[in-house]
Amino acid sequence: MLWRGRRQSDNIEDDRSDSGGGLGGGMGGGGQFRLPVGGRTGGGGSIILVILVVLAGWYFGFDPSQILGGGDGGLLPGGGGQITDNSGSQDNGGAPANDEMKQFVATVLAETEDTWTGIFKAQGLTYEDPKLVLFSGQIRSACGFASAAAGPFYCPGDRKVYLDMTFFQQLDQQFGASGEFARAYVVAHEVGHHVQNLTGIMSKFNQMRQGMSEADANQLSVRIELQADCFAGVWAHYTAQKGILEQGDIESALNAAKQIGDDTLQKKMQGYVVPESFNHGTSQQRQTWLARGYKSGKLSDCNTMSGPI
Ligand SMILES: [Zn+2]
């Protein structure tokens, strides 16, 4: 991606020196990462009614009950440390070595701001930029404590994307997803959840998950995650139109989507797959929806909520 020299977002909060790695084991991996979604989701409210209306029919098939724990399950399947230590424990205190990576993230974030502002505007809506918090090791968000081991995530309660950039190394070395644009996809996926939040899709999702069986909630989660992948694809579509993608960029994003598919990860981490536990989608699904958004650039092609996925 030809990102150097382009605008960098002001919406980066660098908490790397604060978050530190110190707090120790207690809070990683598991349920804590199930982000309690507080009150204020919503926002842009209405919009993308198209999608919502379609959603509605599907929604009613389910019964509500528990969960407040909605939000984004992160980019990766959450849960008990399948995603092991990614060296998030190192406290790099501001990490000058990462400065270039920070600039890259800030640039990608700016590109998402421009793209989504345009898409919202075209529908008569106003896009509100999310913040992106860089942290190291663990972080407290409006969604509770989270460990870097759980991967990047979006918290609807404070409208922030949380990213420990050591994840990028993990993506490269542990998951076999290298390339700048694999990283851009990670950011764009989380921003996709922000779009879901602004459009009310995410609060619907959290409502619906209440009282569902775990298996049903997982299935619903897969649909939400695949939509975030599709939205990342939509972003990539417009980014390509700017002429700043390089050869191999899309392929590296698609490869990332493949490498972090539930089935691929489970096979790698535990040697077998448990389809009922899938909550982000298989490799094939993730690639398919990312590619779909990329191909057309249309939100209407990102309706993962009804029909087969
Ligand atoms: Zn996600």
Side-chain angles (χ1 to χ4, degrees):
M1 181 178 172
L2 302 168
W3 61 273
R4 287 181 181 78
R6 296 182 67 83
R7 183 176 80 82
Q8 295 180 19
S9 173
D10 295 328
N11 289 306
I12 300 278
E13 293 178 5
D14 195 340
D15 286 353
R16 284 177 292 174
S17 51
D18 300 335
S19 47
L23 290 172
M27 39 196 54
Q32 304 86 339
F33 191 61
R34 288 302 168 196
L35 322 170
V37 176
R40 34 192 177 119
T41 44
S46 42
I47 181 3
I48 310 199
L49 283 171
V50 196
I51 297 178
L52 279 183
V53 170
V54 185
L55 293 181
W58 187 70
Y59 283 147
F60 297 133
F62 297 86
D63 65 311
S65 114
Q66 54 144 352
I67 216 123
L68 279 173
D72 174 20
L75 182 81
L76 300 167
Q82 309 103 304
I83 312 304
T84 48
D85 178 23
N86 65 359
S87 74
S89 55
Q90 91 201 33
D91 184 351
N92 50 17
N98 279 342
D99 273 5
E100 178 168 74
M101 196 45 61
K102 178 180 174 180
Q103 289 172 22
F104 172 72
V105 169
T107 307
V108 170
L109 186 62
E111 295 293 337
T112 66
E113 289 165 355
D114 295 346
T115 295
W116 286 109
T117 296
I119 292 173
F120 272 54
K121 207 175 209 170
Q123 308 205 32
L125 299 161
T126 306
Y127 181 70
E128 296 162 53
D129 298 340
K131 299 279 185 200
L132 188 153
V133 180
L134 297 175
F135 71 99
S136 175
Q138 31 203 336
I139 188 81
R140 187 190 174 99
S141 73
C143 295
F145 276 103
S147 155
F153 67 98
Y154 173 74
C155 175
D158 55 20
R159 296 184 171 191
K160 294 179 180 179
V161 171
Y162 290 85
L163 172 67
D164 181 330
M165 290 190 294
T166 56
F167 177 74
F168 290 152
Q169 287 155 27
Q170 187 185 18
L171 197 60
D172 187 347
Q173 291 159 16
Q174 192 178 345
F175 301 142
S178 58
E180 264 177 357
F181 212 66
R183 300 170 178 192
Y185 153 65
V186 168
V187 174
H189 171 97
E190 298 307 335
V191 171
H193 286 305
H194 177 64
V195 170
Q196 291 174 322
N197 192 16
L198 291 181
T199 54
I201 292 170
M202 189 167 274
S203 59
K204 273 284 185 203
F205 164 63
N206 287 321
Q207 253 173 9
M208 288 174 59
R209 290 213 313 193
Q210 295 180 17
M212 274 186 178
S213 71
E214 196 177 337
D216 285 346
N218 283 342
Q219 279 183 23
L220 186 57
S221 170
V222 166
R223 289 179 182 269
I224 281 289
E225 293 298 333
L226 293 177
Q227 187 174 63
D229 283 337
C230 190
F231 286 172
V234 167
W235 169 75
H237 173 91
Y238 286 101
T239 306
Q241 286 188 346
K242 294 175 185 168
I244 58 172
L245 294 199
E246 296 175 282
Q247 200 171 12
D249 276 350
I250 285 302
E251 289 75 10
S252 86
L254 286 168
N255 177 54
K258 177 183 174 188
Q259 300 303 341
I260 59 177
D262 286 322
D263 51 342
T264 301
L265 278 183
Q266 286 189 0
K267 235 175 268 172
K268 192 176 273 185
M269 301 295 173
Q270 62 196 28
Y272 56 91
V273 300
V274 184
E276 312 82 70
S277 71
F278 290 175
N279 53 22
H280 280 66
T282 64
S283 294
Q284 190 176 9
Q285 286 174 321
R286 298 197 75 162
Q287 288 184 293
T288 298
W289 285 96
L290 174 60
R292 200 157 167 171
Y294 172 66
K295 198 167 177 189
S296 77
K298 288 184 190 156
L299 295 188
S300 56
D301 282 339
C302 294
N303 180 9
T304 57
M305 293 302 166
S306 59
I309 47 173

